[in-house]
């Protein structure tokens, strides 16, 4: 495995002992303890300690964000604790701006020094986040960006590469021919829409493949199941489904894993290996992609603390060391790239536990 793939997939050996079964481990908030003052004293390497950092995913109870954020997985809260900060995970229960914004506002009221946010919308959060930055609060986006209202964006993989590779995976499985559908998360999710944009471009290379519908499961298991069922009912000749969301791809696999669809409809997307092992083993899913969500959160934690400590700016070329993940450099658009996506198949999936 290449160094870049190792970096993208790196995580502790105890990845998700409690959460790898993909139970909803989120609650209204969870914290990493710190004995330091919240005023932010100087620590090793010139990094401030005792900063109040709030990790605000799209929604709580989402297995992907449980992995990205939690102490047990080695995610964002683990990074913050390692650096001597006070880390708290908080958000709403729905992946919508209306659910997420109150959590951001509450964090600001509680004296946040750092906000680490996965945007449910590219613009709806901006009045609140711009107000936070005006007060000197560091705002780092991870997983899903809001480009006009943050200091840094920690990107899980190249947006273009994710979109194009998903289409290439499905094309290989359905011999580049047939109707396909996309089961997305929320219609407003910036990362989903960016990936789908590149999917549509890549489909031009496969003239016999036709995108017939994009449906939205809102990162809710019940909704994702319902829209997948509706997609299959409305398009009985469907040959494949792409779902670039861990909740959606699991729902799609569960629906397709039936005598009516199994072996007739291919499923791929972005998923966690533990959630899809059953469906890879029984042939419902041949291949899918992801990165290590815990590494994404961990990197976001390090980037945020380095920025808040003024050890780096958001100018291209600025570099820092993110603990066990190694050295990273700020690129274009004030962004930091975790690494390339990794393709999971029956040949390698049992090597991973997250």
């Amino acid at each position: 495995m290449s160094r870049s793939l190792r970096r993208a997939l790196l995580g502790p050996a105890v990845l998700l002992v409690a959460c790898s079964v993909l139970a909803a481990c989120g609650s209204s908030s969870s914290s990493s303890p710190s004995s330091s003052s919240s005023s932010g004293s100087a620590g090793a390497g010139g990094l401030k300690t005792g900063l109040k950092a709030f990790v605000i995913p799209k929604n709580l109870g989402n297995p992907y964000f449980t992995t990205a954020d939690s102490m047990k997985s080695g995610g964002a809260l683990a990074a913050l604790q390692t650096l001597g900060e006070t880390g708290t995970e908080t958000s709403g229960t729905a992946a919508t701006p209306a659910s997420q914004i109150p959590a951001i506002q509450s964090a600001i009221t509680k004296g946040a020094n750092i906000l680490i946010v996965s945007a449910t919308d590219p613009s709806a959060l901006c009045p609140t986040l711009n107000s936070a930055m005006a007060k000197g609060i560091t705002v780092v986006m991870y997983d899903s960006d809001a480009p006009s209202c943050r200091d840094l964006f920690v990107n899980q993989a190249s947006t273009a590469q994710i979109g194009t590779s998903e289409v290439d995976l499905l094309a290989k499985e359905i011999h580049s021919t047939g109707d396909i559908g996309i089961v997305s998360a929320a219609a407003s999710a910036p990362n989903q829409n960016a990936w789908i944009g590149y999917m549509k471009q890549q489909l031009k290379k496969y003239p016999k493949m036709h995108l017939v519908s994009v449906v939205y499961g809102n990162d809710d298991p019940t909704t994702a199941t319902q829209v997948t069922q509706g997609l299959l009912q409305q398009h009985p000749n469907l040959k494949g489904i792409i779902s670039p969301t861990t909740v959606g791809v699991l729902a799609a696999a569960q629906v397709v894993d039936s005598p009516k669809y199994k072996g007739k409809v291919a499923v791929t997307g972005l998923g966690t290996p533990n959630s899809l092992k059953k469906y890879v083993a029984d042939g419902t899913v041949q291949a899918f992609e992801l990165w290590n969500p815990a590494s994404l959160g961990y990197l976001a934690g390090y980037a945020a603390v380095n920025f808040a400590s003024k050890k780096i700016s958001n100018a291209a070329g600025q570099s820092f060391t993110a603990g066990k993940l190694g050295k990273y450099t700020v690129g274009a658009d004030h962004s930091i790239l975790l690494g390339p996506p990794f393709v999971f198949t029956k040949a390698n999936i049992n090597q991973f536990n997250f």
Side-chain angles (χ1 to χ4, degrees), residues 319-330:
S319 62
F320 65 99
T321 300
K324 63 190 178 186
L325 297 180
K327 186 176 179 180
Y328 282 83
T329 302
V330 179

Side-chain angles (χ1 to χ4, degrees), residues 71-97:
M71 290 288 298
K72 290 179 179 179
S73 68
L77 294 179
L80 292 166
Q81 184 184 59
T82 297
L83 293 171
E85 322 304 348
T86 299
T88 302
E89 183 197 44
T90 183
S91 192
T93 56
T96 63

Side-chain angles (χ1 to χ4, degrees), residues 314-351:
N314 56 14
Q318 295 280 301
S319 62
F320 65 99
T321 300
K324 63 190 178 186
L325 297 180
K327 186 176 179 180
Y328 282 83
T329 302
V330 179
D333 302 320
H334 313 316
S335 64
I336 300 164
L337 186 66
L338 176 63
F342 182 80
V343 178
F344 298 90
T345 66
K346 186 179 291 187
N348 61 32
I349 193 169
N350 288 324
Q351 300 172 25

Side-chain angles (χ1 to χ4, degrees), residues 189-210:
N191 56 348
Q192 299 284 307
N193 291 332
W195 295 333
I196 290 170
Y198 280 105
M199 289 180 197
K200 291 177 179 178
Q201 290 185 29
Q202 189 71 355
L203 280 169
K204 295 177 183 178
K205 297 184 178 181
Y206 301 99
K208 294 183 180 180
M209 287 175 62
H210 305 107

Side-chain angles (χ1 to χ4, degrees), residues 43 48 97 99 124 126 168-169 177 199 202 216-217 256 283 336 341:
K48 292 181 178 180
S99 184
C126 284
D168 291 340
L169 279 179
T177 302
M199 289 180 197
Q202 189 71 355
Y216 300 95
V256 171
I336 300 164

Side-chain angles (χ1 to χ4, degrees), residues 243-288:
S243 185
T245 162
T246 57
V247 175
V249 75
L250 175 58
Q254 290 170 335
V255 172
V256 171
D257 189 21
S258 67
K260 185 175 181 179
Y261 300 117
K262 190 174 179 178
K264 301 173 184 177
V265 180
V267 175
T268 191
L270 301 178
T272 57
N274 283 359
S275 70
L276 293 177
K277 281 178 180 177
K278 172 183 183 297
Y279 303 101
V280 170
D282 70 14
T284 301
V285 177
Q286 293 184 30
F288 65 96

